[in-house]
Amino acid sequence: MSSSSRGPGAGARRRRTRCRRCRACVRTECGDCHFCRDMKKFGGPGRMKQSCLLRQCTAPVLPHTAVCLLCGEAGKEDTVEGEEEKFGLSLMECTICNEIVHPGCLKMGKAEGVINAEIPNCWECPRCTQEGRTSKVKGGRERHLKKKPKPPLASAEGPAVPSPSPQREKLERFKRMCQLLERVPDTSSSSSDSDSDSDSSGSSLSEDEAPGEARNGRRPARGSSGEKENRGGRRAIRPGSGGPLLSWPLGPAPPPRPPQLERHVVRPPPRSPEPDTLPLAAGSDHPLPRAAWLRVFQHLGPRELCVCMRVCRTWSRWCYDKRLWPRMDLSRRKSLTPPMLSGVVRRQPRALDLSWTGVSKKQLMWLLNRLQGLQELVLSGCSWLSVSALGSAPLPALRLLDLRWIEDVKDSQLRELLLPPPDTKPGQTESRGRLQGVAELRLAGLELTDASLRLLLRHAPQLSALDLSHCAHVGDPSVHLLTAPTSPLRETLVHLNLAGCHRLTDHCLPLFRRCPRLRRLDLRSCRQLSPEACARLAAAGPPGPFRCPEEKLLLKDS
């Protein structure tokens, strides 16, 4: 029975799956190949849908849904113990007709098929072997493959030696070529006398050598069949004459590959988009100029602006004005696509909210390097792996930084963020930290210790609002550091949030009188603070009394 009469899809090739056991399957992505750069987890668009080059499985197996074409059952080799019985009940896929069958269902012996020893459950079925069929490629052209020779029959002289596979022969040829390349410098240096003679007179190849028989697969020289012209010290040696095994010396190593550039080039909008007026269908211009239209657009929200951008090309260019996008909210999104990142860069917002968003480190670095006017950045709930991009990004205009509720943040990682960049000049007397100009910092829920707090006082001296709520390590010594005479925040602090800090006691409340500009103090949910002590602090206060709209919440009208 022919394969065409076995039903639809009899010759359809099944996609194989990973074996999950080889070295390539158990390793992680390299992050450097072009497939990894395309993945969304590394900041790419995610269009290729290919795995890492280093994670290509070397022994892919048949999927679990594969069944025999004849009996309709899956592989049952685990139910028997004998080698022949296991082979008869295992599923085998033919590399020519792509049919998946049990060898036992074909009623043919094992010796009648050619088994592929490198890929599991792969062979050339006996039918294709007897018919002399070869695999086909798209377009109807045949792809001539090397047929694996059948094992020779045992003779009286001894057991037959199995012949190696074509892949094995190719690997052996490659190894021999590498050995020949390594021997070239030694042989060339030891035969200096013969080199000078050969360079002056030249040498010729054997006349009976065919063009396809050149060593290492190189083509013979053009020109006469007997001699070759000596050019630049290159020489041809007659094979078997005892000279070097290659026809010319090795050249210099190729230069290293340059780093891959950015795939998505985003150009900011022009400063003065043209035209300045809105052209109408009749050929005239609208009486309202561009400045008047921008005043109208300033009363619209982001959704309405996106609708206006689809009206005409002129409105689309006008709506990219950064004055219309002072703040962009991309919070609580599963991931960010390249069009989203390009749209953010084109609009140049002053405030960007990425809280609880799956943004990668590469994407965040790409954004921060192109948003030089960014003043407010919200990264609460993001992973520290992506937030660590702040350590290498320039933030000259940043005034508000929100890092609340970031998981798995250690004290050493916070210190790397607070310390000045490593490229500080050695002759510089005062090092400037990355948060030198930040006025409001939110660190709620982080494991902030007194050591990190000292660095914060040194490298962020202009803080006016500080959020340390629900920090488990903040206690009375931390309040003493904030209000010490040497602390720069003693004179600048206006808003302080210490809610949920359970290590605070009543002994730290008098220390807050050292901050004359303090207007808001949040001590709610602090277990060891008594309401009576908070009421006494509110009545006395720094220069004036506080009011308590809620228990342990102290406010002062400006």
Side-chain angles (χ1 to χ4, degrees):
M1 183 173 57
S2 62
S3 60
S4 60
S5 60
R6 294 180 181 177
R13 183 177 178 272
R14 301 298 297 271
R15 181 176 181 179
R16 289 178 171 256
T17 59
R18 290 183 176 272
C19 66
R20 303 183 185 275
R21 293 190 299 270
C22 64
R23 182 179 300 179
C25 288
V26 298
R27 66 160 291 152
T28 57
E29 289 87 357
C30 65
D32 295 329
C33 64
H34 57 282
F35 288 153
C36 287
R37 294 177 183 270
D38 177 73
M39 297 179 185
K40 291 185 177 180
K41 63 190 295 185
F42 294 108
R47 297 172 183 169
M48 295 185 182
K49 302 293 188 298
Q50 298 292 330
S51 61
C52 175
L53 286 178
L54 300 183
R55 295 195 72 240
Q56 302 289 340
C57 182
T58 58
V61 298
L62 291 174
H64 297 289
T65 56
V67 294
C68 177
L69 184 63
L70 301 179
C71 65
E73 297 183 1
K76 299 178 291 184
E77 62 271 14
D78 297 335
T79 59
V80 295
E81 297 181 356
E83 188 68 24
E84 294 292 338
E85 296 177 354
K86 283 189 175 181
F87 175 76
L89 295 179
S90 61
L91 291 176
M92 300 295 292
E93 181 184 19
C94 180
T95 57
I96 300 177
C97 62
N98 300 325
E99 292 183 354
I100 302 176
V101 294
H102 291 130
C105 297
L106 291 177
K107 306 299 182 182
M108 295 182 179
K110 179 179 180 180
E112 300 181 16
V114 181
I115 301 176
N116 190 341
E118 298 182 356
I119 303 178
N121 301 92
C122 186
W123 70 340
E124 294 180 6
C125 65
R127 181 181 297 103
C128 295
T129 305
Q130 293 176 0
E131 297 177 359
R133 297 170 57 189
T134 57
S135 59
K136 302 256 179 142
V137 296
K138 292 182 179 180
R141 296 185 301 173
E142 295 185 355
R143 182 177 57 185
H144 298 281
L145 302 176
K146 288 187 178 180
K147 294 186 178 180
K148 296 185 179 181
K150 297 183 180 179
L153 298 177
S155 60
E157 300 177 357
V161 180
S163 59
S165 60
Q167 290 81 2
R168 181 72 63 182
E169 294 178 357
K170 187 183 297 182
L171 181 61
E172 293 296 335
R173 289 197 302 269
F174 178 75
K175 290 182 178 179
R176 287 196 298 269
M177 185 180 66
C178 294
Q179 294 175 0
L180 295 177
L181 295 178
E182 294 176 357
R183 291 170 54 185
V184 166
D186 300 335
T187 56
S188 60
S189 61
S190 61
S191 56
S192 58
D193 298 335
S194 62
D195 291 348
S196 59
D197 298 336
S198 61
D199 289 339
S200 59
S201 60
S203 58
S204 60
L205 292 171
S206 59
E207 298 179 357
D208 56 346
E209 183 178 1
E213 297 176 359
R215 188 177 297 273
N216 292 334
R218 292 190 175 96
R219 296 181 180 177
R222 295 181 181 178
S224 62
S225 61
E227 297 182 355
K228 177 182 177 180
E229 183 181 0
N230 181 17
R231 297 180 182 177
R234 295 183 180 178
R235 50 197 173 84
I237 303 299
R238 184 184 302 274
S241 61
L245 298 177
L246 294 179
S247 58
W248 53 76
L250 288 176
R257 258 183 102 182
Q260 188 176 4
L261 302 178
E262 294 288 346
R263 292 177 179 269
H264 306 279
V265 180
V266 181
R267 298 178 178 86
R271 295 183 178 180
S272 56
E274 297 293 340
D276 194 36
T277 57
L278 179 63
L280 301 178
S284 59
D285 295 335
H286 197 276
L288 286 180
R290 172 176 171 268
W293 281 111
L294 291 181
R295 290 185 180 182
V296 175
F297 291 152
Q298 287 179 354
H299 296 278
L300 303 180
R303 190 178 299 275
E304 290 80 7
L305 285 175
C306 292
V307 175
C308 293
M309 292 175 67
R310 290 182 288 181
V311 173
C312 63
R313 184 176 301 178
T314 304
W315 276 21
S316 178
R317 298 177 66 181
W318 288 352
C319 289
Y320 272 116
D321 195 292
K322 62 181 181 180
R323 290 174 290 181
L324 304 178
W325 304 91
R327 179 181 180 85
M328 293 192 67
D329 187 2
L330 298 177
S331 60
R332 300 188 180 276
R333 296 179 181 272
K334 187 176 181 180
S335 61
L336 295 181
T337 60
M340 292 182 182
L341 301 177
S342 304
V344 172
V345 173
R346 290 202 64 182
R347 288 163 175 83
Q348 293 290 314
R350 295 192 301 269
L352 181 61
D353 188 358
L354 298 175
S355 57
W356 307 99
T357 298
V359 57
S360 64
K361 179 180 179 180
K362 185 176 181 180
Q363 289 177 332
L364 188 58
M365 289 183 60
W366 191 87
L367 278 176
L368 297 181
N369 289 327
R370 290 162 176 80
L371 298 178
Q372 299 298 327
L374 190 63
Q375 299 180 3
E376 299 181 8
L377 180 60
V378 181
L379 296 173
S380 58
C382 299
S383 63
W384 174 254
L385 182 61
S386 58
V387 175
S388 59
L390 296 173
S392 56
L395 302 171
L398 193 63
R399 295 295 177 266
L400 184 148
L401 181 59
D402 192 342
L403 301 177
R404 295 177 295 176
W405 304 107
I406 298 179
E407 299 180 357
D408 302 331
V409 180
K410 298 180 180 179
D411 188 63
S412 59
Q413 296 171 336
L414 288 175
R415 292 158 88 179
E416 292 178 2
L417 178 62
L418 297 174
L419 286 174
D423 55 351
T424 305
K425 298 180 180 179
Q428 192 173 357
T429 57
E430 183 181 357
S431 60
R432 295 179 57 86
R434 297 184 178 92
L435 308 181
Q436 192 75 18
V438 175
E440 183 175 354
L441 186 60
R442 303 172 186 174
L443 303 175
L446 303 185
E447 297 182 1
L448 188 71
T449 61
D450 292 343
S452 300
L453 194 58
R454 291 188 185 94
L455 291 176
L456 180 64
L457 298 178
R458 179 180 178 183
H459 299 291
Q462 300 182 10
L463 286 179
S464 60
L466 182 60
D467 185 1
L468 300 178
S469 58
H470 301 282
C471 291
H473 300 287
V474 173
D476 293 349
S478 305
V479 177
H480 181 73
L481 288 174
L482 289 174
T483 59
T486 58
S487 173
L489 303 187
R490 181 176 177 176
E491 302 295 334
T492 62
L493 207 57
V494 178
H495 301 279
L496 181 60
N497 189 356
L498 298 175
C501 298
H502 303 305
R503 294 190 178 185
L504 297 178
T505 62
D506 295 343
H507 300 285
C508 69
L509 294 181
L511 300 176
F512 293 110
R513 298 177 182 176
R514 302 176 180 177
C515 303
R517 300 183 59 187
L518 195 61
R519 295 292 180 267
R520 177 186 174 90
L521 180 60
D522 193 350
L523 300 173
R524 291 175 291 184
S525 302
C526 295
R527 300 174 184 174
Q528 302 187 31
L529 289 179
S530 60
E532 294 79 10
C534 294
R536 289 194 297 269
L537 176 63
F546 287 94
R547 59 185 181 87
C548 297
E550 297 182 24
E551 187 179 11
K552 301 180 183 180
L553 177 61
L554 284 70
L555 300 178
K556 180 186 292 186
D557 298 332
S558 57

